[in-house]
Amino acid sequence: MQLYVLWNLAVLALTHTLPQLQRFSGNPKDDLQAFDSADEYLLQSLLPQGLDSSRPILILGDNFGALTCALAEFKVTSVSDSVVSHNAIAANLNALGRQAALVDPLAPWPAEPQLVLARIPKQLSLLELWLATLKPLLAKDSLVLLAGRDRDIPASAEAMISRHIGPTEKLLGWKKARAFVCQSDGKAPLPLPPPISWPLEGTGFTLSHFANVFSRQSLDIGARLMLANLPQGRFDKVIDLGCGNGVLGLMMASQYPDAHYSLVDESYLAVASARHNLSQNLPEVKADCVANDCLRGFTASSVDLVLCNPPFHQQQVITDHIAWQMFKDAFRVLRPGGELWIVGNRHLGYHLKLKRLFGGCKVVASDRKFVILRTIKRRTS
């Protein structure tokens, strides 16, 4: 089986779909293309005529579908930790009339893939999880190609790939991208990395974190400020939006155990962490942990309180449209009189967005870096 060429720019058969793709980011100002030079590098390193239509292809970390759509005529499984990425991939597949299996990192992956294409993540913990999961699935002839933008590839990525999979060749750089190629060395796989756990200070709770979860090593500063200033009142339905490890929802549930909680994040691994933390620390609390793009599908005017710690980037793009979508979705699902509490960096100016949407807000607490804002839904539209 000849699949790989020592990178030949003349091999363009798999890149013809790239200009047709969209990012589907939800940001009306987003005019960026849905692929980059790392995607091109991977696709231009393949000889598609060598692919076997009966054997699976595994794709890891595709952002918007560049890799998945290019190979969707084969048996493709695309793994991502991002609901937003999966939604974009699904939309691009649908626009092209193609299909592929989209799964999260903790779901089963196909055995003995003929080919693995991976975007190297910036987070080494996620790369380690991928590699440890992948190794026992590889056949002797499985070809593994990984690539990323130079600025995003962790310094120890090559060593980690070699340690988990086998001898690894670093290919020449092109357009600020770099690729690596390897095959299994046949040795026993290294164990899956366990979740990182630590006690939550001032409580009897222990928090556990899968790979790629925000601030998995320690409690982040913004969450710490929010925990010192949690809402007080009567709450029947509470949402922790952008929940990460679920610490805000967990601590609210410790104070208001009779309420129903929804912990929502676009990261499957974050949601798995939040679900574990609630079940281990407060198993009696009624809670749903949902991987979702903001609050898509949640019932309007049904919630008393939304807690939110918004991100300010999507993949490598700095943006405030995610926070804006979170605030709009929170406004929609809050009942009249319901409250939105957010914590964010002071310089991001979230108070301006809340004034435009809710009519105003109040500062609950602040420090040199973060601010907590509270706003109330006083109108229905």
Side-chain angles (χ1 to χ4, degrees):
M1 177 178 64
Q2 186 180 7
L3 283 181
Y4 165 70
V5 292
L6 187 56
W7 209 57
N8 182 349
L9 280 172
V11 182
L12 300 175
L14 289 173
T15 60
H16 69 279
T17 60
L18 296 182
Q20 304 174 57
L21 304 180
Q22 298 184 48
R23 289 168 60 95
F24 295 102
S25 66
N27 181 7
K29 297 180 180 179
D30 185 356
D31 59 355
L32 300 174
Q33 65 185 19
F35 63 94
D36 63 19
S37 56
D39 297 316
E40 293 178 287
Y41 203 143
L42 288 171
L43 295 176
Q44 291 173 174
S45 296
L46 294 175
L47 292 170
Q49 63 269 25
L51 292 169
D52 182 347
S53 61
S54 66
R55 291 185 63 186
I57 293 173
L58 183 59
I59 294 173
L60 306 177
D62 198 358
N63 286 329
F64 302 102
L67 305 177
T68 306
C69 292
L71 292 161
E73 63 185 279
F74 300 97
K75 295 174 62 175
V76 169
T77 296
S78 187
V79 180
S80 174
D81 185 38
S82 168
V83 171
V84 172
S85 288
H86 269 171
N87 289 346
I89 294 169
N92 279 315
L93 285 167
N94 183 64
L96 294 169
R98 300 182 180 183
Q99 294 182 331
L102 307 181
V103 303
D104 69 74
L106 298 177
W109 300 1
E112 299 190 350
Q114 60 180 317
L115 173 67
V116 180
L117 295 183
R119 290 295 307 256
I120 299 173
K122 295 178 68 174
Q123 298 78 14
L124 274 173
S125 64
L126 183 56
L127 177 61
E128 184 180 20
L129 176 63
W130 283 357
L131 298 173
T133 304
L134 178 63
K135 178 63 179 289
L137 301 174
L138 295 176
K140 289 183 178 180
D141 64 345
S142 297
L143 179 68
V144 182
L145 281 164
L146 309 97
R149 299 275 288 171
D150 288 333
R151 67 186 182 190
D152 300 326
I153 299 175
S156 55
E158 182 179 1
M160 181 176 284
I161 297 166
S162 297
R163 184 166 65 252
H164 278 272
I165 305 299
T168 300
E169 179 185 359
K170 180 166 65 174
L171 306 184
L172 296 175
W174 175 74
K175 291 176 66 175
K176 299 182 180 180
R178 177 78 57 180
F180 303 86
V181 60
C182 61
Q183 289 182 290
S184 174
D185 57 13
K187 297 179 181 179
L190 297 176
L192 287 171
I196 290 178
S197 299
W198 35 266
L200 179 60
E201 58 195 61
T203 75
F205 300 150
T206 296
L207 298 180
S208 297
H209 310 75
F210 289 100
N212 203 39
V213 177
F214 173 69
S215 196
R216 68 193 296 258
Q217 301 285 347
S218 62
L219 185 65
D220 73 279
I221 303 173
R224 187 184 302 275
L225 183 63
M226 181 72 95
L227 291 180
N229 297 276
L230 286 174
Q232 304 293 314
R234 173 178 170 79
F235 307 109
D236 294 324
K237 292 185 178 181
V238 178
I239 294 176
D240 181 357
L241 177 56
C243 65
N245 62 14
V247 65
L248 299 184
L250 176 68
M251 291 307 296
M252 280 296 298
S254 70
Q255 296 186 24
Y256 302 93
D258 295 329
H260 183 279
Y261 293 86
S262 296
L263 279 67
V264 184
D265 203 288
E266 75 102 19
S267 161
Y268 296 104
L269 292 169
V271 168
S273 301
R275 182 181 297 114
H276 175 85
N277 290 329
L278 271 175
S279 65
Q280 292 299 306
N281 293 294
L282 294 174
E284 70 283 359
V285 168
K286 296 173 291 185
D288 300 315
C289 297
V290 184
N292 198 4
D293 181 3
C294 293
L295 296 177
R296 180 180 297 185
F298 277 68
T299 303
S301 302
S302 63
V303 175
D304 302 296
L305 174 67
V306 176
L307 305 173
C308 187
N309 187 353
F312 54 89
H313 59 84
Q314 181 183 29
Q315 279 91 35
Q316 283 72 53
V317 179
I318 303 298
T319 177
D320 64 355
H321 88 272
I322 300 174
W324 180 241
Q325 186 61 52
M326 285 179 158
F327 301 161
K328 289 195 299 182
D329 282 10
F331 182 87
R332 179 179 58 82
V333 304
L334 283 169
R335 61 169 178 77
E339 300 181 13
L340 168 64
W341 287 53
I342 68 168
V343 58
N345 292 80
R346 294 170 61 96
H347 72 274
L348 294 174
Y350 288 150
H351 63 286
L352 299 175
K353 287 180 166 51
L354 295 180
K355 181 177 181 180
R356 176 180 169 188
L357 189 59
F358 286 83
C361 65
K362 292 184 177 181
V363 176
V364 174
S366 64
D367 57 24
R368 290 187 300 174
K369 188 173 182 180
F370 289 93
V371 62
I372 296 175
L373 302 175
R374 168 182 176 260
T375 189
I376 301 173
K377 180 177 179 177
R378 302 188 186 279
R379 56 187 178 85
T380 58
S381 62

